[in-house]
């Protein structure tokens, strides 16, 4: 276990290269289960959620060859099991994609109830609704989800999602690509990683149309073949570095991004007085003057992403005036606010709304990450604060940010990772994932 020690108050300058998208990678790896052949996946981020996803596939019988730091070849031709290992699968939220993938390929799946960051109730009823509409029987028993079909193959159908769900959209897509006949998913989520999964599946021989709109049409095929695919850059990692330079001041060039994916984040930062210059696959982000207040409401894509809410709230805690932040996707995603308050932030949370009264500066403190994006927000706060901060429980951050310490150090930040002996003794079985 490690913790980060940060000496704050230094503006960031330099260049940072964005890694592959976590939330695309954790869906595309299980989707490889659908492929009868070798699929080569490039631009995989080196993060613990990806390592865990690959381990689970290996456990199911996949042969995995590491080509280089960001490329693997996965061969699922000889998968021998449809039951996931309990301890591994419960540690990540994205293990729910194993249900859609196994069900799609073998008509049967036994998957651990998923883990993931703890910010309120995280139901999977819409996933289950999709699978049952496609003809599966789904039962939850003893910590496992058992899904099966009588004939061994799902049947295409019309699925209407009651809530816009990223996970349900992708899971149903995976289940449907090899179903018999046509499937239509209505009220589908439109996030960039949904388009990425559709592109991956299509490059392996699937027939998925309309991803990125709210209606996705899938024509079931008999088999997916091997192929090669590169994952898109991570919108949220890029947004986190934008928020970091907004908070500290300075100027950074963010490389390997898709500017269109960044529009929802760029728009808010520009309202706050941050300058953003867009090029083909880079963003130059500069903050020289004071930050202005603004209001932010999280929404499904193309709205402002919930996965950027803790980071933007942290930046707003340093803006002139009072801002309102409304979290409309998750019901308990403000647990980090108490940590920001230790650093001198003035934020009042009332259910889904945070009233953020900007302060002149934050001060360094011992603080604890409680989930992935909350942890990223605390790193931003510590970089901007006067004095030293010690951030513990950084394993949450490393679930989703590749080499965050090295990338920030290259931008001139004074941050280092050291052993956390206190946490080692307190940890044991307390992994929330
Ligand atoms: N919901 C339901 N029923 C369902 C599924 C979702 O009511 O069956 C509700 C949820 O409770 C939530 C809303 O629908 O209120 C949206 O949930 P969604 O299914 O879209 O979330 P998810 O697929 O579980 C993914 C990301 C999250 C990200 C959300 C929203 C992965 C592995 N996780 O979660 O990412 O916050 O979409 O964009 O892709 C993160 O990266 O830090 C992270 C938490």
């Amino acid at each position: 276990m490690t913790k980060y020690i940060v000496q704050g108050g230094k503006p960031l300058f330099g260049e940072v290269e964005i890694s592959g998208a976590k939330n695309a990678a954790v869906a595309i790896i299980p989707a490889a289960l659908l492929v009868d052949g070798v699929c080569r996946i490039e631009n995989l981020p080196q993060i613990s959620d990806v390592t865990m996803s690959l381990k689970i596939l290996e456990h199911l019988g996949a042969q995995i060859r590491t080509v280089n730091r960001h490329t693997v070849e996965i061969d699922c031709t000889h998968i021998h099991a449809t039951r996931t290992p309990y301890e591994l699968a419960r540690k990540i939220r994205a293990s729910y994609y194993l249900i859609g993938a196994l069900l799609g390929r073998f008509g049967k799946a036994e998957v651990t109830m998923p883990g993931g960051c703890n910010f309120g109730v995280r139901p999977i009823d819409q996933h289950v609704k999709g699978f049952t509409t496609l003809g599966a029987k789904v039962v939850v028993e003893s910590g496992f989800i058992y899904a099966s079909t009588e004939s061994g193959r799902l049947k295409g159908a019309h699925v209407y999602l009651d809530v816009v769900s990223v996970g349900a959209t992708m899971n149903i897509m995976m289940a449907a690509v090899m179903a018999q006949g046509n499937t239509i998913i209505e009220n589908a989520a439109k996030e960039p990683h949904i388009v990425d999964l559709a592109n991956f599946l299509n490059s392996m021989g699937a027939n998925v149309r309309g991803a990125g709109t709210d209606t996705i049409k899938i024509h079931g095929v008999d088999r997916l073949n091997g192929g090669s695919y590169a994952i898109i850059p991570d919108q949220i990692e890029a947004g986190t570095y934008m928020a970091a330079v907004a908070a500290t001041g300075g100027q950074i060039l963010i490389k390997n991004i898709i500017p269109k994916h960044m529009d929802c984040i760029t728009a808010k930062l520009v309202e706050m007085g941050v300058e953003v210059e867009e090029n083909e696959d880079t963003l130059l982000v500069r903050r020289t003057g004071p930050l202005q207040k603004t209001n932010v409401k999280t929404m499904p894509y193309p709205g402002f992403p919930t996965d950027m809410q803790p980071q933007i709230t942290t930046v707003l805690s340093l803006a002139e005036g009072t801002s309102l932040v409304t979290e409309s996707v998750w019901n308990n995603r403000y647990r980090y606010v108490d940590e920001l308050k230790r650093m001198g932030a003035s934020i009042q949370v009332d259910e889904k709304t945070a009233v953020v009264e900007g302060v002149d500066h934050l001060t360094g403190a011992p603080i604890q990450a409680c989930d992935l994006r909350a942890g990223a927000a605390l790193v931003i706060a510590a970089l901007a604060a006067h004095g030293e901060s010690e951030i513990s429980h950084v394993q949450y951050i490393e679930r989703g940010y590749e080499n965050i310490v090295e990338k920030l150090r290259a931008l001139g930040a004074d941050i280092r990772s050291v052993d956390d002996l206190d946490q080692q003794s307190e940890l044991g079985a307390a992994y929330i994932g």
Side-chain angles (χ1 to χ4, degrees):
M1 291 299 137
T2 52
K3 62 183 173 184
Y4 298 160
I5 309 285
V6 184
Q7 303 290 342
K10 284 183 142 194
L12 299 177
F13 286 98
E15 298 183 358
V16 61
E17 183 93 26
I18 297 306
S19 301
K22 161 190 168 269
N23 287 343
V26 296
I28 286 174
I29 294 169
L33 283 167
L34 291 158
V35 179
D36 192 3
V38 178
C39 57
R40 181 184 169 101
I41 309 177
E42 296 170 6
N43 204 29
L44 269 178
Q46 260 203 339
I47 51 174
S48 60
D49 270 18
V50 161
T51 312
M52 196 68 78
S53 305
L54 290 170
K55 264 192 197 158
I56 296 172
L57 249 63
E58 233 166 5
H59 203 278
L60 292 170
Q63 291 194 336
I64 298 180
R65 191 173 82 84
T66 305
V67 178
N68 59 45
R69 281 183 61 209
H70 296 117
T71 305
V72 294
E73 284 179 355
I74 305 179
D75 184 355
C76 290
T77 314
H78 304 294
I79 290 287
H80 51 65
T82 52
R83 184 181 172 92
T84 61
Y86 188 83
E87 274 311 315
L88 288 181
R90 70 188 277 269
K91 288 185 176 163
I92 57 169
R93 182 74 190 158
S95 55
Y96 53 40
Y97 293 128
L98 296 160
I99 315 172
L102 289 168
L103 199 52
R105 171 104 183 255
F106 303 106
K108 189 175 169 211
E110 298 175 26
V111 177
T112 322
M113 279 295 274
C117 285
N118 178 12
F119 33 74
V121 185
R122 298 187 71 175
I124 58 160
D125 58 301
Q126 297 304 306
H127 305 233
V128 173
K129 175 179 173 175
F131 301 143
T132 49
T133 310
L134 295 174
K137 187 175 162 215
V138 183
V139 182
V140 180
E141 235 174 57
S142 316
F144 272 85
I145 300 157
Y146 295 88
S148 57
T149 52
E150 265 174 30
S151 66
R153 191 171 181 192
L154 295 165
K155 281 203 171 62
H158 203 128
V159 182
Y160 181 86
L161 294 178
D162 302 318
V163 292
V164 178
S165 160
V166 172
T169 303
M170 302 222 266
N171 224 344
I172 298 165
M173 211 194 278
M174 287 192 219
V177 282
M178 290 203 288
Q180 211 171 14
N182 297 323
T183 297
I184 298 178
I185 309 173
E186 301 263 24
N187 199 24
K190 297 181 274 202
E191 269 64 7
H193 31 294
I194 290 176
V195 179
D196 209 35
L197 174 65
N199 287 343
F200 166 80
L201 292 168
N202 287 343
S203 73
M204 303 288 146
N207 185 343
V208 181
R209 300 284 168 257
T213 76
D214 53 16
T215 306
I216 299 178
K217 295 183 178 166
I218 301 158
H219 177 71
V221 295
D222 290 338
R223 179 170 177 264
L224 298 189
N225 316 295
S228 184
Y229 191 77
I231 289 177
I232 51 165
D234 197 306
Q235 174 207 33
I236 305 298
E237 189 197 16
T240 300
Y241 285 99
M242 293 172 83
V245 72
T248 61
Q251 172 174 305
I252 66 173
L253 183 70
I254 304 183
K255 294 163 79 173
N256 184 35
I257 50 109
I258 298 175
K260 179 80 196 135
H261 295 169
M262 305 311 302
D263 284 352
C264 42
I265 300 166
T266 301
K268 280 292 145 189
L269 289 171
V270 168
E271 276 175 36
M272 293 166 70
V274 177
E275 292 164 58
V276 181
E277 235 177 82
E278 182 183 306
N279 289 302
E280 201 179 317
D281 64 352
T282 62
L283 286 180
L284 185 68
V285 188
R286 183 186 312 122
R287 204 268 287 170
T288 45
L291 290 162
Q292 307 303 321
K293 67 176 179 170
T294 191
N295 297 334
V296 176
K297 183 174 183 180
T298 66
M299 307 272 277
Y301 190 80
F304 188 87
T306 172
D307 294 342
M308 277 298 299
Q309 180 262 103
Q311 301 90 312
I312 200 89
T313 303
T314 303
V315 183
L316 287 171
S317 77
L318 290 162
E320 286 180 348
T322 301
S323 309
L324 284 185
V325 178
T326 309
E327 172 56 60
S328 71
V329 177
W330 298 111
N331 58 9
N332 183 15
R333 208 173 190 175
Y334 287 119
R335 292 194 309 145
Y336 63 94
V337 163
D338 283 342
E339 301 302 291
L340 287 184
K341 283 183 175 173
R342 285 176 200 275
M343 304 176 77
S346 174
I347 304 173
Q348 302 307 322
V349 175
D350 183 12
E351 297 192 348
K352 295 197 155 194
T353 305
V355 181
V356 188
E357 206 183 312
V359 294
D360 178 61
H361 65 272
L362 299 173
T363 46
I367 41 180
Q368 185 173 316
C370 61
D371 68 56
L372 167 61
R373 308 304 173 187
L378 295 185
V379 170
I380 293 171
L383 292 171
H386 294 182
E388 180 174 288
S389 296
E390 213 181 278
I391 309 174
S392 61
H393 291 65
V394 298
Q395 70 274 18
Y396 291 121
I397 303 172
E398 293 172 1
R399 285 184 47 208
Y401 289 90
E402 177 173 340
N403 288 341
I404 186 167
V405 169
E406 292 75 5
K407 288 186 184 186
L408 285 169
R409 285 174 70 86
L411 295 173
D414 188 342
I415 178 171
R416 65 202 157 89
S417 184
V418 299
D419 282 343
D420 187 351
L421 301 173
D422 297 341
Q423 205 197 330
Q424 259 158 27
S425 53
E426 112 197 14
L427 202 78
Y431 189 103
I432 305 174

